Amino acid sequence: IASSPLMHPDKIQLCVVLVDWTVETTKELRLGECTGYMQMQKPGAQIMCAVRSSAIVLPKEPQKPVIMAGMGTGLAPWRAVTQERVMQKRQGIDVGKCMLFFGARYKQEWLYREEFEGYEAEGVLQMHTAFSREQARKIYVQHRIVEAGNDVAQRMLNEGGHFYVCGSARQVPEDIYTAMKEVMMAHERCGEEDAEAILSNLKMEGRYTVEAW
């Protein structure tokens, strides 16, 4: 789900990538069961669906900063979160800063770019992008997190911020965790063990959440 009910009360907007692959032995093109089914639907079609509770729980106090990291369609929940904060601000509520780290292969894969740039202009969002194949040296989200380490540590350790990761379970959570550990070591001038203890406490407090598949 890539939308907030505060901004779109009568709609649920999805961010979906079609899953497809070619069978090596037969060269047959296969489609994912769910995304293939959705691709075949025509505008106005009615389908059965259910909405489940998310593992992503926003801070009770909207003044608390939110730091989000997402790759590809992992951007979906962070669009919803940002929309929520934008609508709260428009309603006169004091909201904490949103930091969003988004990664893709190429700049043309920057989903919802104009919309996010608009939220930046409203002063709600601070965007950091990493396009791994746009230059000779591959740059990933974890590199951007380390680069913005002072801001990340300030919002997490001094302002009670919440950190969220969404993306592939294969390597993303581990790489982001390593980057966050590096941030803590630099900011707190501590060793690896102490940095891991800081991150462990954040997880226990519900302020470090991973949504991976």
Side-chain angles (χ1 to χ4, degrees):
I1 295 177
S3 60
S4 163
L6 272 184
M7 185 172 285
H8 303 282
D10 59 344
K11 295 179 181 178
I12 293 178
Q13 298 180 349
L14 304 178
C15 179
V16 180
V17 62
L18 178 66
V19 177
D20 61 359
W21 69 97
T22 301
V23 179
E24 188 172 340
T25 53
T26 63
K27 305 304 179 185
E28 178 186 3
L29 178 66
R30 296 284 182 88
L31 300 179
E33 185 172 356
C34 182
T35 57
Y37 172 77
M38 293 177 68
Q39 184 194 43
M40 292 187 293
Q41 303 308 305
K42 296 180 180 179
Q46 294 185 351
I47 60 176
M48 296 292 292
C49 64
V51 179
R52 298 179 179 176
S53 297
S54 172
I56 299 164
V57 180
L58 288 177
K60 293 181 180 179
E61 304 92 344
Q63 297 80 17
K64 298 293 185 184
V66 169
I67 303 173
M68 306 161 283
M71 284 55 70
T73 53
L75 183 64
W78 312 144
R79 179 177 182 249
V81 168
T82 305
Q83 287 183 352
E84 187 89 359
R85 284 287 174 91
V86 167
M87 290 304 296
Q88 289 175 330
K89 183 178 181 182
R90 291 175 183 176
Q91 294 168 359
I93 299 172
D94 182 25
V95 298
K97 178 73 75 174
C98 291
M99 292 182 73
L100 174 55
F101 295 88
F102 171 65
R105 295 172 302 173
Y106 301 102
K107 200 168 187 176
Q108 67 188 39
E109 297 173 338
W110 186 349
L111 305 171
Y112 311 110
R113 175 178 177 176
E114 292 183 0
E115 180 179 341
F116 280 118
E117 289 177 340
Y119 297 153
E120 280 192 288
E122 288 191 51
V124 176
L125 179 66
Q126 181 181 345
M127 190 98 188
H128 300 262
T129 56
F131 303 109
S132 61
R133 300 184 186 178
E134 287 286 349
Q135 59 286 308
R137 183 177 71 89
K138 290 187 177 181
I139 299 174
Y140 297 106
V141 163
Q142 56 265 32
H143 299 134
R144 297 303 191 203
I145 290 174
V146 172
E147 289 173 5
N150 285 337
D151 283 346
V152 170
Q154 170 70 21
R155 288 177 181 148
M156 290 301 298
L157 302 180
N158 300 334
E159 300 175 18
H162 288 236
F163 184 81
Y164 305 91
V165 183
C166 185
S168 169
R170 284 174 292 183
Q171 191 67 28
V172 170
E174 183 178 342
D175 290 340
I176 298 298
Y177 178 83
T178 299
M180 287 294 288
K181 184 166 61 175
E182 186 174 336
V183 166
M184 297 304 160
M185 290 171 66
H187 187 270
E188 295 297 287
R189 297 178 181 174
C190 64
E192 185 174 352
E193 189 173 321
D194 288 337
E196 290 178 347
I198 292 171
L199 295 177
S200 178
N201 287 335
L202 291 175
K203 290 181 179 181
M204 291 177 63
E205 294 170 3
R207 296 201 291 125
Y208 189 117
T209 303
V210 176
E211 179 87 344
W213 60 86

